Amino acid sequence: MTNRSSEAPPPIGNGSVAVECNGYAAGRGSGWVSFQGVTRGVTKGSKEGHHQLEVTKSGVEVVHFAKNKVGIHVVELEAITKPKPKTAGAMEFKFVSSQTFNLYGNASGLTEKETGRWCKWVAKRPMGRIVAVCITDTAMAKTRPLKAEVYEALHDLGADKSLRLIGYREPFAFVGWKGLKQGKGVVGQDPKKQSKTLVRIETTVRKGTSNRDGTGLEFQEVKQDEVKLLGALSAAKKKQSQKKRAALPSPPLSPKKKKLG
């Protein structure tokens, strides 16, 4: 897997929230969520289960999720209006929690249990609470599609009613918030089974100019990108091989043979 965090680092700036992920078929999966946090001038971090929070000196906080972990991984953020902002409506975010909902369910009754837990969790979020979602393997099992309730909970966070069904080992990234109007949430998807595509979404959230939905938030900017990882992985492997060959000591020169005369 290429080092995406250094080649394409998370965005920096007021109101930035980004998600990047890919499924198992591309390097056994990976995923992270980044946001402009309230922490400044300090580098620290914490680890809980399969989630690791990194805080950079620039104030960007990144939640890294372990690869090859089934289900959906979520990060919950509280939006805070930046004090004395240079730009009107500038926001930053306080990390609230991160967790995994194992909708894959590889044990008897686990899919139903985790589906119910996901729906109840979304229902209890306060209005305006930002939720970012990613996968690092697959959200669903090959023979067990996600329940309709999973999508209904995403609709409550702003996902469109026509959201494509999330398939087996397909990358899925999402940013929305509780109370966001349906269809306004930002989605990154590649609807191909065993997809080798990495999806990335970068958003800028700001204090809204109106408060029609009761949240007081709006997307100011949205960027979506896809990277075909099969080619990227091949190029990275070739580059790594070239470096290894260059580091090897040169073979000794063969002694010159004297001519017999």
Side-chain angles (χ1 to χ4, degrees), residues 136-215:
T136 62
D137 185 315
T138 181
M140 58 162 281
K142 191 173 184 179
T143 58
R144 291 191 300 276
L146 298 179
K147 304 288 185 181
E149 296 92 323
V150 173
Y151 297 100
E152 290 169 6
L154 285 168
H155 297 157
D156 290 342
L157 298 171
D160 199 293
K161 278 284 187 182
S162 61
L163 175 69
R164 291 191 186 103
L165 299 183
I166 305 169
Y168 180 60
R169 290 181 174 174
E170 293 177 8
F172 177 76
F174 174 80
V175 177
W177 54 81
K178 186 67 177 291
L180 178 62
K181 185 179 178 180
Q182 286 185 11
K184 296 296 184 180
V186 183
V187 176
Q189 265 184 300
D190 182 40
K192 299 182 185 69
K193 286 182 172 58
Q194 302 283 5
S195 169
K196 293 179 175 61
T197 296
L198 176 147
V199 296
R200 176 170 175 144
I201 54 179
E202 297 182 4
T203 69
T204 303
V205 181
R206 57 164 287 154
K207 187 176 181 180
T209 54
S210 66
N211 193 25
R212 293 178 182 176
D213 61 4
T215 68

Side-chain angles (χ1 to χ4, degrees), residues 98-136:
S98 64
Q99 56 186 300
T100 294
F101 295 91
N102 186 1
L103 306 177
Y104 180 95
N106 54 1
S108 178
L110 185 58
T111 300
E112 289 74 15
K113 180 181 177 181
E114 287 292 278
T115 296
R117 189 170 73 89
W118 158 247
C119 295
K120 289 178 182 177
W121 184 85
V122 172
K124 290 180 179 179
R125 296 313 94 195
M127 292 290 284
R129 186 58 55 87
I130 293 173
V131 177
V133 182
C134 74
I135 61 100
T136 62

Side-chain angles (χ1 to χ4, degrees), residues 9 17 21 29 31 34 72-73 75 82 85 94-95 97 106 108 122 125-126 154 178 191 209 220 249 254:
V17 180
C21 68
S34 72
I72 58 172
H73 313 296
V75 172
K82 191 173 181 180
K94 180 181 179 182
F95 174 77
S97 69
N106 54 1
S108 178
V122 172
R125 296 313 94 195
L154 285 168
K178 186 67 177 291
T209 54
Q220 182 181 16
S254 300

